[in-house]
Amino acid sequence: MFGDNIRNVPEGMTIENNPWLSKFKEYGIDVTYKFVATNAEDMTTKINLAIATDDLPDIIPVNSTQYKDLLEADMLADITDAYDRYATDEVKNLLNQDGGLMAENAIVDGRRFGIVLPTQFADYVPVLAYRADWLEEAGLQPPGSMDDIWNMAKTFKNNKMGGTCVIGIGLTKNVLDLLTPSVGLFNALHAYSGIWLEKNGTLAYSSIQPEYRDALGMLANYYAQGLIDPEFGTKDMKAMWEDAISGRSGVVVSHFCAPFDVINGVKLEQEWAYSRMFPTDGQPVKAQNSAAFSGGVVYSAKGMNPEAMIRMYNLYEKFTREDFATYNDNAVLNFAYPIYVGVVDANPKIYREYNEFITTGTKPAKTTQGFDGVLEAAEKYRLNQDIEGGYIMYSIFGPEGTEAAVDYAILNDGYMVSAFTGATTDNMALYGANLKTIEEQMVISIIKGDQPIGSFDTFVADWKANGGDVLTQEVNDWFSKR
Amino acid sequence: MPGRKKRTGPSAAKRNLPLHLMLLPGILIVFVYNYLPMGGLVMAFQQYKPTRGLLGSAWVGLQNFRLLLSFPNTKQVVLNTLIIATSKLVLGLIVPVVFALLLDEIRSRRFVRSVQTIVYLPYFLSWVILGGIFFNILSPSTGIINRILEMVGLPTQYFLGDNQHFRWVLVLTDIWKTFGYGSIIYLAALTSIDSTLYEAAAIDGANRFRQVLVVTLPGISSIVFVMAVLSLGNILNAGFDQVLNMYSPQVYQTGDILDTFIYRIGLQQAQYSLSTAVGFFRSVISFLMISISYFLAYRYGNYRIF
């Protein structure tokens, strides 16, 4: 999968000719991409089409539904022997970082049918990014509560800071997607969208709970006060960041990657700061995550060399470790996809190591994979204010970086993980799209005030009647069998 | 028939053989791409799994259709499709005709040609590009349209985000994109009207407007009629490209159409049976509409395909 990086492929590299393919070839594995996609949705569509037309590549990244269908149809190769024989200990260790919790999903009757990455969600906590220069100009203190955040947004907007600020806080049109501002705000208000919560020994759907209703009511209130971008319904993440960088808004609810966008503003001499999200009460903010089995990488039963795939994992691990600078560049890393295996919770680990380095001045004895690259870049900014070379890394891993919020969440019970960790069921696939559509419509119309908060109750009834009750029954059956 | 030599079987077939051979590739293509895939309609009655194939998937009868009708959004989606498509049909007929009539009144050939070229152009732009352009033009805070509204003292409108406006935006932008192209056929029809009729009308004291009513309109009425009935087949075709590029969850209520609905549940969630059921339903309605329109065209418009 080639995300936005397809547009910044390094000079001299192409889809046919790049460091990863050359490296694989050097070790006798001739790799060609059957197809490339620009985002996850596109990839899912293309794999679905490949399955429907029985035109699968040998190595296939699949989601849980595709995995289940392929497995049932005997279209997956048994890679047990190849894995046992070829996989290096380093690769095995990386894949079992969560104690084999996720890998279990790829093992049937003791035989292995795919590579599943260990579960990791530590990074996915909401992080606030705001204009530090405006904060000072307005004479405010850095936020310490939910009210402070909204007050800051209000002050920025009412004073038309920078002569341009007209938006309080921006949202995006996909209000229910993970890492969007809306979900960050829900979580800060102790509401969760689209995950399963354990309540009194049974599983309940988070989107029909009273906390969700309350959170929507509060957001509707902020919207009515003009503190939420009235145009959010047509904006994607890119458009939201354009507003921030062009000075139209000064408070962004984001995540640990925020500096990747903020840097464009910093180049325009804006000053930004990061902080964790604060709750309305004393309860910790819990970032939601569905630690469900989301898929893995499998080998087609028609393919001849499952060991080649395992050896690619070995090479991947070896060269991202030994030649970090060449092979771990984001744009280059894309060329190895779907072969990828990272260190679980590497970022918070690197954050701690880097901050230890700053305070003590010496490198920790044992560092996490990737530490050296981070250190090199971040120091460029810390010591020489080299924005291009190190702002992003320093703003993520530095003492006041976005990973500070992640570290805080790890230490302070900051996660709400879905209680359902099984694979997507047939009924979830069947009803899912429609249930999500009615939830999206409900959330947007309540926030914008097009519908009164009472319409939440209609939504709950609709949700239950249109497959929700079936799903509830299904996950509870799964839960009671555990 | 006396005096006329009866054509014998073998020689006629022999004579026509090259013609039949020339027809063969076309028939084969239609068969392979249009008829064979119809077999896939069986999916609508199955719980289809791509990995099991058409023969191996479980038969569920009408369950998919029942499920579809039970979705709270289905009725709205069908309604949206009908309203948007019908508006496009009606305006898509009137605007090009009026435009062609107006253009025909202009003397300067050079001016006519340049106007024609300019209005054809948008037809060749894709909705992906136009979606981005309209997003900017129609934005309440930065868009030029709302700046103009502000200048004349009118309240700004959230065209792409407001359920009241969204359908009109779809219809009007579609008309803007296609009316130039659509007017070609009427301009051609206008040139075929006998100019002596205008002279006769002028001698009888008809002014320009009267001439249009009594000569021009009747002259092109049959082609307008034929175009109208033929477009009835598009009654459930509200324009997938356009809607997909311009809609967002907040305007699902008025902007979600059958095709985008199929796209979301079908391709993205891999629910092939459900989306085939929607597609089947859509095809049946379209088939009925095309049959009726052909009958009408045959009966009143003197139009024959066969």
Side-chain angles (χ1 to χ4, degrees), chain B residues 85-196:
Chain B
T86 314
S87 318
K88 281 182 180 175
L89 285 191
V90 173
L91 281 178
L93 203 66
I94 296 173
V95 175
V97 170
V98 171
F99 175 73
L101 289 177
L102 292 175
L103 204 61
D104 195 52
E105 293 298 316
I106 289 165
R107 295 271 156 93
S108 159
R109 282 296 100 189
R110 171 177 282 199
F111 180 74
V112 168
R113 281 211 197 97
S114 42
V115 168
Q116 262 182 310
T117 314
I118 291 168
V119 297
Y120 290 167
L121 269 181
Y123 182 81
F124 299 102
L125 293 175
S126 82
W127 277 114
V128 180
I129 297 168
L130 289 177
I133 293 175
F134 281 119
F135 173 79
N136 282 321
I137 292 180
L138 299 174
S139 158
S141 59
T142 53
I144 185 165
I145 304 276
N146 273 303
R147 292 290 74 71
I148 294 170
L149 286 180
E150 249 173 24
M151 263 156 57
V152 297
L154 291 169
T156 57
Q157 302 291 342
Y158 192 4
F159 293 107
L160 287 175
D162 190 330
N163 279 309
Q164 285 179 332
H165 301 310
F166 188 68
R167 280 183 196 144
W168 282 111
V169 172
L170 286 179
V171 172
L172 293 178
T173 52
D174 183 66
I175 299 303
W176 170 80
K177 181 165 154 33
T178 55
F179 82 94
Y181 193 79
S183 64
I184 293 177
I185 192 161
Y186 303 117
L187 285 167
L190 285 172
T191 58
S192 66
I193 296 175
D194 191 346
S195 57
T196 55

Side-chain angles (χ1 to χ4, degrees), chain B:
Chain B
M1 277 189 275
R4 190 168 168 191
K5 225 162 120 189
K6 199 186 166 199
R7 285 181 183 173
T8 51
S11 74
K14 209 173 177 182
R15 230 188 347 263
N16 291 336
L17 187 65
L19 295 177
H20 281 119
L21 281 178
M22 281 162 73
L23 198 59
L24 190 63
I27 290 179
L28 272 181
I29 286 174
V30 169
F31 180 72
V32 170
Y33 291 106
N34 292 20
Y35 280 83
L36 276 187
M38 283 189 202
L41 285 178
V42 74
M43 271 192 242
F45 306 96
Q46 291 179 329
Q47 191 186 353
Y48 177 74
K49 293 230 161 139
T51 49
R52 295 215 190 105
L54 280 180
L55 300 175
S57 297
W59 185 266
V60 294
L62 291 173
Q63 192 193 308
N64 290 315
F65 293 92
R66 271 189 221 111
L67 182 67
L68 263 180
L69 293 177
S70 76
F71 283 166
N73 291 336
T74 309
K75 221 173 89 189
Q76 190 63 42
V77 167
V78 172
L79 202 65
N80 290 342
T81 313
L82 279 173
I83 293 174
I84 294 169
T86 314
S87 318
K88 281 182 180 175
L89 285 191
V90 173
L91 281 178
L93 203 66
I94 296 173
V95 175
V97 170
V98 171
F99 175 73
L101 289 177
L102 292 175
L103 204 61
D104 195 52
E105 293 298 316
I106 289 165
R107 295 271 156 93
S108 159
R109 282 296 100 189
R110 171 177 282 199
F111 180 74
V112 168
R113 281 211 197 97
S114 42
V115 168
Q116 262 182 310
T117 314
I118 291 168
V119 297
Y120 290 167
L121 269 181
Y123 182 81
F124 299 102
L125 293 175
S126 82
W127 277 114
V128 180
I129 297 168
L130 289 177
I133 293 175
F134 281 119
F135 173 79
N136 282 321
I137 292 180
L138 299 174
S139 158
S141 59
T142 53
I144 185 165
I145 304 276
N146 273 303
R147 292 290 74 71
I148 294 170
L149 286 180
E150 249 173 24
M151 263 156 57
V152 297
L154 291 169
T156 57
Q157 302 291 342
Y158 192 4
F159 293 107
L160 287 175
D162 190 330
N163 279 309
Q164 285 179 332
H165 301 310
F166 188 68
R167 280 183 196 144
W168 282 111
V169 172
L170 286 179
V171 172
L172 293 178
T173 52
D174 183 66
I175 299 303
W176 170 80
K177 181 165 154 33
T178 55
F179 82 94
Y181 193 79
S183 64
I184 293 177
I185 192 161
Y186 303 117
L187 285 167
L190 285 172
T191 58
S192 66
I193 296 175
D194 191 346
S195 57
T196 55
L197 291 174
Y198 289 109
E199 285 166 26
I203 289 165
D204 286 345
N207 58 19
R208 294 299 288 180
F209 186 67
R210 189 85 193 132
Q211 285 176 28
V212 168
L213 284 185
V214 298
V215 180
T216 320
L217 275 182
I220 61 166
S221 65
S222 67
I223 190 82
V224 173
F225 186 74
V226 167
M227 293 306 287
V229 286
L230 285 184
S231 63
L232 275 181
N234 280 329
I235 194 74
L236 284 182
N237 188 0
F240 174 69
D241 296 9
Q242 184 196 15
V243 179
L244 186 75
N245 282 298
M246 292 174 83
Y247 82 158
S248 56
Q250 65 182 340
V251 286
Y252 280 173
Q253 198 195 329
T254 53
D256 199 14
I257 57 169
L258 277 169
D259 299 280
T260 48
F261 188 61
I262 296 174
Y263 174 77
R264 282 205 314 278
I265 61 172
L267 268 185
Q268 289 188 351
Q269 300 278 323
Q271 295 298 306
Y272 300 105
S273 290
L274 211 51
S275 46
T276 308
V278 187
F280 196 14
F281 167 76
R282 186 175 176 274
S283 303
V284 168
I285 306 270
S286 298
F287 178 73
L288 279 177
M289 284 299 179
I290 292 172
S291 304
I292 293 171
S293 62
Y294 181 66
F295 174 76
L296 288 175
Y298 182 85
R299 194 69 197 273
Y300 303 104
N302 228 353
Y303 174 81
R304 280 174 183 79
I305 295 172
F306 303 111

Side-chain angles (χ1 to χ4, degrees), chain A residues 324-325 328 350 368-379 389 393:
Chain A
F324 186 86
N328 216 37
I350 294 174
T368 309
Q369 179 185 340
F371 174 80
D372 293 332
V374 168
L375 180 71
E376 194 192 329
E379 288 292 280
M393 286 301 145

Side-chain angles (χ1 to χ4, degrees), chain A residues 449-471:
Chain A
D450 295 344
Q451 295 281 335
I453 187 70
S455 67
F456 182 84
D457 306 327
T458 321
F459 158 74
V460 174
D462 280 347
W463 185 86
K464 287 181 174 167
N466 287 283
D469 277 342
V470 180
L471 300 186

Side-chain angles (χ1 to χ4, degrees), chain A residues 240-480:
Chain A
M240 185 194 75
W241 273 113
E242 275 169 14
D243 284 335
I245 301 310
S246 62
R248 295 164 48 74
S249 74
V251 183
V252 180
V253 180
S254 182
H255 51 90
F256 76 107
C257 288
F260 281 94
D261 289 291
V262 167
I263 188 172
N264 298 314
V266 174
K267 285 179 190 163
L268 302 172
E269 310 210 327
Q270 300 171 1
E271 281 171 40
W272 287 79
Y274 307 94
S275 104
R276 62 188 173 94
M277 281 298 281
F278 299 96
T280 37
D281 49 23
Q283 301 295 314
V285 173
K286 294 185 183 216
Q288 71 172 70
N289 207 282
S290 58
F293 168 55
S294 58
V297 180
V298 296
Y299 198 81
S300 165
K302 284 184 185 163
M304 308 296 286
N305 312 91
E307 75 285 352
M309 176 169 90
I310 306 296
R311 288 180 52 224
M312 283 164 74
Y313 274 98
N314 293 344
L315 295 170
Y316 178 91
E317 188 278 325
K318 184 174 155 73
F319 288 99
T320 46
R321 178 163 43 88
E322 290 179 357
D323 191 356
F324 186 86
T326 312
Y327 290 97
N328 216 37
D329 176 74
N330 265 327
V332 178
L333 218 47
N334 261 325
F335 289 119
Y337 186 86
I339 304 297
Y340 164 82
V341 44
V343 180
V344 164
D345 300 346
N347 291 336
K349 286 175 189 159
I350 294 174
Y351 163 78
R352 282 173 214 145
E353 288 158 6
Y354 180 51
N355 284 281
E356 190 187 327
F357 172 83
I358 291 177
T359 40
T360 63
T362 47
K363 216 171 125 179
K366 193 175 175 298
T367 58
T368 309
Q369 179 185 340
F371 174 80
D372 293 332
V374 168
L375 180 71
E376 194 192 329
E379 288 292 280
K380 281 185 195 162
Y381 183 76
R382 190 172 73 97
L383 304 174
N384 303 320
Q385 299 295 306
D386 175 2
I387 294 171
E388 198 74 59
Y391 174 80
I392 293 175
M393 286 301 145
Y394 184 75
S395 303
I396 293 175
F397 297 103
E400 277 151 14
T402 55
E403 282 292 328
V406 176
D407 192 51
Y408 182 88
I410 293 174
L411 299 174
N412 291 283
D413 187 22
Y415 298 95
M416 179 61 82
V417 179
S418 177
F420 176 74
T421 55
T424 313
T425 64
D426 283 347
N427 282 327
M428 287 179 185
L430 188 62
Y431 297 116
N434 189 52
L435 290 177
K436 190 178 171 190
T437 300
I438 60 175
E439 187 179 336
E440 272 177 333
Q441 287 181 296
M442 178 275 294
V443 168
I444 292 174
S445 58
I446 287 184
I447 294 180
K448 292 185 70 181
D450 295 344
Q451 295 281 335
I453 187 70
S455 67
F456 182 84
D457 306 327
T458 321
F459 158 74
V460 174
D462 280 347
W463 185 86
K464 287 181 174 167
N466 287 283
D469 277 342
V470 180
L471 300 186
T472 309
Q473 185 61 43
E474 219 169 41
V475 296
N476 275 298
D477 287 348
W478 171 89
F479 190 64
S480 59

